Amino acid sequence: MKKWYGKIRDIERKIEEKELKELLAKEDFKEIRNQIPRKVKTLCFLIPNMNAYAGGHTSVLRLGTAAANHGYEVIYATYGGQDKKSMEENARQNLYSYKGRFCEKKDIFSLSADVVIATNWKSAYMAKQIAGYKMYFIQDYEPYFYSYGDYYLLARETYQFQFHMVSLGQWNQKIIARETGSMVKDVIDFPYEQSEYSFQNREFESYSMKKELTFCVYLKEESKRLPLILSHLLRNLQQEFQRHGKKLKLLYFGLEPYVQLETGVNLGKLGKKQLLELYQTSDFGLVASVTNISLVPYEMAAAGLPLIEWKEGSFSAFFPEEAAILTGFDAVKLYEKIDCFCRNPKELYRMQERALHYLKGYSWAETGRQFCSILKNLETQEEVERRDGRETKKDV
């Protein structure tokens, strides 16, 4: 685990350093004057690249598509090296019915947009160099992805840029206020796509008789997903199962397919149909939502899969705590919790019911509507500011 993880991180650092030097080449760290446009017609989402099977990139596509459906012209512009054809192919993997057009890096400074939307901290530096009203779609508190140093401070600085910040869920808003003193202007709901993850009835009464339980585990190379800690925890948990005469089958997804694991099977990066089948055929789903919550626990809960989540993370800022088994580092304690739930099927049904109850009312359709309402309100706000400016001049 350490060997492949170390190699991947070394490659990522080299790419990241090159990108960052380019982004900072024209950076002066001065405050911007964020002028609201009189009319909002064109939006430009700035993205690093468009990766297939990426939840964050899919979220950008969903917001862009919602905006396109409301009559806005939508552009997805990369500051990475990806070509237009690859972006379009990957976008179809993420959201087949997406709307909007792609723009390569070489054309980025010739763009014309009323609103320029940063989608991660590095793209915020790029956004300062492009004409248009600056928004910041915040999907996570990214300084937490790094140890204290260059990247941590550069990521944190972006929340001081005076951009119009829009947070996916309230957790980001609270953390940004606490860590930086900056205020997030708008919050939109963290949803999931109801049509893609149908509920599967389960017979929890059978869990106590099973000699083998199957966990599907969301694991990525990113530190925020705890790849090293989770691997260590699950290796110890397998041993604890064996000590009690049982087996624990681990099915991992989210990693590159070539990664080999000691404790289970790596299924690679899965499409929506494959994910639904995995959720419906597993006994428990495990996710480490350490920073802002992932889309994955929403999907698992919608499919009726009992959740195991990280107690130190953000899960409890979204779901009620009783909607999952919350774990720390101790594999023995986790085994005891799992065993207790398996011997009490009524508690598993209650846990499932709490998770499903929380999900009611959340959808990408509603979140897209919220985002478009923010865009529409910009024009109202601009008119108020322009009127107030005229009245001030009359008073003078």
Side-chain angles (χ1 to χ4, degrees), residues 101-245:
R101 63 184 175 89
F102 284 91
C103 173
E104 295 180 11
K105 180 180 178 180
K106 62 184 175 60
D107 301 316
I108 204 166
F109 291 109
S110 62
L111 287 174
S112 176
D114 301 308
V115 179
V116 178
I117 306 170
T119 60
N120 66 350
W121 72 268
K122 282 177 278 189
S123 68
Y125 286 94
M126 177 62 77
K128 290 180 74 176
Q129 302 173 37
I130 301 173
Y133 182 71
K134 309 299 189 294
M135 296 187 77
Y136 195 172
F137 175 45
I138 300 170
Q139 300 191 65
D140 214 328
Y141 184 69
E142 294 180 276
Y144 281 171
F145 299 179
Y146 308 96
S147 58
Y148 193 84
D150 286 340
Y151 292 115
Y152 179 96
L153 292 172
L154 287 168
R156 192 176 68 177
E157 184 69 15
T158 60
Y159 306 117
Q160 312 290 342
F161 280 0
Q162 305 302 313
F163 285 13
H164 181 149
M165 292 191 281
V166 179
S167 171
L168 187 61
Q170 294 184 346
W171 185 86
N172 294 319
Q173 183 186 45
K174 293 176 182 178
I175 297 298
I176 288 170
R178 187 186 76 191
E179 297 291 325
T180 73
S182 297
M183 300 304 296
V184 172
K185 187 174 180 65
D186 289 297
V187 176
I188 56 179
D189 289 335
F190 200 124
Y192 75 107
E193 184 47 53
Q194 298 175 350
S195 64
E196 295 173 349
Y197 297 97
S198 55
F199 178 76
Q200 172 74 35
N201 283 314
R202 296 169 191 275
E203 296 181 358
F204 291 135
E205 291 82 1
S206 68
Y207 276 35
S208 62
M209 297 177 284
K210 288 188 175 185
K211 293 298 182 181
E212 179 180 273
L213 289 179
T214 300
F215 285 15
C216 63
V217 183
Y218 183 46
L219 189 66
K220 298 189 76 175
E221 301 93 334
E222 301 167 1
S223 180
K224 67 174 181 175
R225 296 296 170 210
L226 305 184
L228 300 178
I229 292 174
L230 275 186
S231 295
H232 177 76
L233 173 68
L234 291 172
R235 182 167 53 249
N236 290 343
L237 187 62
Q238 276 188 328
Q239 293 172 359
E240 193 64 21
F241 267 72
Q242 290 173 0
R243 205 166 65 83
H244 288 83

Side-chain angles (χ1 to χ4, degrees), residues 334-396:
L334 177 56
Y335 175 85
E336 291 172 351
K337 287 182 180 181
I338 294 167
D339 184 58
C340 182
F341 272 97
C342 287
R343 287 187 284 104
N344 294 276
K346 288 183 179 179
E347 291 303 313
L348 278 173
Y349 283 115
R350 289 193 187 100
M351 186 169 71
Q352 182 191 68
E353 185 180 353
R354 292 183 188 108
L356 289 170
H357 181 75
Y358 167 78
L359 292 178
K360 287 182 179 178
Y362 289 103
S363 69
W364 272 109
E366 172 58 20
T367 296
R369 187 199 63 77
Q370 293 169 1
F371 179 67
C372 291
S373 178
I374 293 168
L375 295 172
K376 188 173 180 60
N377 288 339
L378 283 179
E379 296 178 8
T380 303
Q381 186 179 342
E382 192 279 338
E383 173 59 29
V384 170
E385 290 184 2
R386 188 152 44 88
R387 185 189 62 218
D388 290 346
R390 289 197 300 265
E391 292 175 354
T392 300
K393 285 181 180 180
K394 287 179 182 179
D395 292 342
V396 173

